[in-house]
Amino acid sequence: MSFIQTLWKCNFGPRLFKVYEITCYVYIHLFQKSYEPNSLERWGDQIVIWFAAIWSITLYVIPFVVMFFHQHSITESISSLSKLATGASAIFITSLAARGYSRATNPIYLKFLKILNEANTHYNAKTKQELDKYEFEFWARPVDYKIKRDTLSEKLTLEKIAASNGRTKRQTGKEFIFTLPCKFISYVVAHTFAIKLIYPGSISILNWAFRSTLLKGRMHLIKHGGERYKLLTADDNEIDAIFINRRNKTTKGNILVITCEGNCGFYETGIISTPLSKGYSILGWNHPGFGSSTGAPYPLQEENAIDCVMRFAIDHLKFPEEQIILYGWSIGGYTATWAAMNYPSIQSLILDATFDDILPLAIMTMSSLLEGLVRNIIRNYFNLNIAEQLNRYDGTILLIRRTKDEVVCTPSDNTLSGNRGNMLLSKLFMRRYPHLLLKSLECAVLLVRFLSTDISARKSIIEKVKVDEKQCLELIAADIKNSGGIVHYPSTLGQDCDSKTKFQLTLFLATMYMKDQPSSHCTLLAADLFHPGWNPASALSTTE
């Protein structure tokens, strides 16, 4: 390769951050050292980064540019902008050239560039292993897994559910014209401000500010055996994922936990640490637009992303669906329940600090005068109805509620009675156990009262109702046997029971499905609360 070609590749090559060294004596040790660019490359990098940051906020600067044009003559404005553009271009090109020359004379970067080129030409296990010795910008990595584009058409979505239930209303031409202004405003708000409010982790400046923190977190995971992957979704988004393989290393290593982070959560610093401490294999990933993942976290892109992650886990990592646990925290409950709905054979679903539907939370956050607009934006662009998806999954579920949650409460006074996790459990019970809640108002009232009180008051309610755990398990086992030994929903549990027995069953099931952690929303889940959850089928063995 000529020096000119090398210079060109170095000019537009990725930034290099770290170099990993593996030593193997008795044990395998991973050491990392920072890549030290010289002053010329460092200066060029900083200029390029600043230009990228300025470009990312161009959309928000347009109104000021318009004001500038309005206050000055067209000739004067064009002349000023031309001078500005010429000067900026000269600085940008000079910084690129300086960075490229500096890299082209750096043997460490040249070695990395050679390995990267080999990986792009012949990507296999060997070249990936060599490439993984370097920490560099994600966009330059080769794709590790690409999902088939026709898979999503076969999946169940909220839109398909609404259409099948006849809830999709077609507008007449007159209605369409009358609602057009509102639709236009909703579209603009949804694609500018709303998505940033719902998913602040997708804001470019935040990603830029967190880059060093994310790098440290990723290095920590790599030291624990983490292996980074680039996944290509059906809509061509690149998803940054990390896999920590514990198979044949720990007792729980053959079970894969797939984490789904919150609206400002990243796998590098998020909820991975809890299942990791329990010895599970882990697959973490970043939402579209978060960290190094491309795209934006609109529901369809989120669905494509988690679908790609699931297929990668099953097809590439070779984990059977039955050995996968989905763990969703906060808004991550949306992707977790979507995956559970479409991959019903998973071992279990864990929802931590999650809500039932984003609409009540969005309405509470905004002014009451904007309720109509908020409702339109949410239902048309961000219909994160977690309860609806949860009720399409019949497997094992564990709900975890934060007793001091300040985020998923309506009203926002973090009281237990306003926690939307209560509604999530209630909606789940209405579908799974209709004879307890839908056909017994007293049970519904009791459940609301039970979930609205602290632990001491709940114990008092359980004692007052005289919950007989053994009897409840026997009734559940009998109901399963009546269904041919298979857990089936909606269940007939409680159909022939008196009110007292229904009360006992309701409270017993509530304690089995939901666990409390005395903490705020963003506190990491305690390790002892992380488990697959209660499987009603276990009642069969308990009562034998």
Side-chain angles (χ1 to χ4, degrees), residues 185-186 189-190 194 372-382:
I185 295 172
S186 297
V189 173
L373 180 64
V374 171
R375 192 178 295 274
N376 194 44
I377 290 171
I378 293 298
R379 285 296 177 243
N380 288 315
Y381 299 101
F382 301 100

Side-chain angles (χ1 to χ4, degrees), residues 34-97:
S34 297
Y35 167 70
E36 296 293 343
N38 61 34
S39 56
L40 199 60
E41 181 181 351
R42 192 179 298 111
W43 174 81
D45 258 340
Q46 290 299 323
I47 299 297
V48 172
I49 290 169
W50 275 108
F51 268 92
I54 293 170
W55 180 258
S56 69
I57 61 172
T58 301
L59 177 66
Y60 306 99
V61 178
I62 289 176
F64 298 100
V65 176
V66 173
M67 289 173 59
F68 179 83
F69 269 100
H70 181 71
Q71 294 174 359
H72 298 78
S73 66
I74 296 177
T75 305
E76 184 182 352
S77 300
I78 293 176
S79 175
S80 299
L81 286 176
S82 298
K83 291 177 181 178
L84 179 64
T86 302
S89 299
I91 294 172
F92 183 70
I93 292 171
T94 302
S95 62
L96 272 179

Side-chain angles (χ1 to χ4, degrees), residues 415-430:
T415 59
L416 285 173
S417 60
N419 193 301
R420 298 304 301 188
N422 301 348
M423 290 302 299
L424 186 61
L425 181 66
S426 297
K427 291 177 180 180
L428 177 67
F429 279 8
M430 286 178 188

Side-chain angles (χ1 to χ4, degrees), residues 260-261 285 287 302-303 306 331-340 389:
C260 300
E261 298 286 348
W285 60 283
H287 296 281
E302 286 276 278
E303 293 162 11
I306 187 60
I331 208 169
Y334 178 75
T335 46
T337 52
W338 188 93
Q389 294 184 155

Side-chain angles (χ1 to χ4, degrees), residues 84-203:
L84 179 64
T86 302
S89 299
I91 294 172
F92 183 70
I93 292 171
T94 302
S95 62
L96 272 179
R99 185 178 72 170
Y101 176 78
S102 178
R103 288 175 174 176
T105 56
N106 188 323
I108 297 176
Y109 192 88
L110 288 177
K111 182 181 178 182
F112 156 70
L113 193 63
K114 180 182 178 182
I115 292 172
L116 178 61
N117 289 335
E118 288 176 356
N120 283 321
T121 306
H122 304 289
Y123 196 49
N124 50 45
K126 183 180 179 181
T127 53
K128 176 177 169 54
Q129 186 178 24
E130 288 298 312
L131 194 61
D132 283 344
K133 293 179 181 178
Y134 296 90
E135 182 72 41
F136 57 99
E137 287 182 303
F138 187 72
W139 61 263
R141 291 184 67 93
V143 172
D144 293 285
Y145 178 81
K146 182 178 180 180
I147 195 172
K148 294 179 181 178
R149 292 180 179 272
D150 58 347
T151 56
L152 196 64
S153 60
E154 306 166 1
K155 302 300 181 183
L156 187 61
T157 64
L158 289 176
E159 289 76 12
K160 291 179 181 178
I161 293 171
S164 64
N165 292 340
R167 285 182 286 173
T168 304
K169 182 184 176 183
R170 289 189 176 182
Q171 289 185 323
T172 63
K174 188 177 181 180
E175 288 175 333
F176 177 79
I177 293 173
F178 275 120
T179 58
L180 198 57
C182 183
K183 288 179 182 292
F184 175 74
I185 295 172
S186 297
Y187 178 86
V188 172
V189 173
H191 289 80
T192 52
F193 304 107
I195 190 170
K196 305 301 182 185
L197 291 173
I198 296 172
Y199 287 96
S202 65
I203 299 174

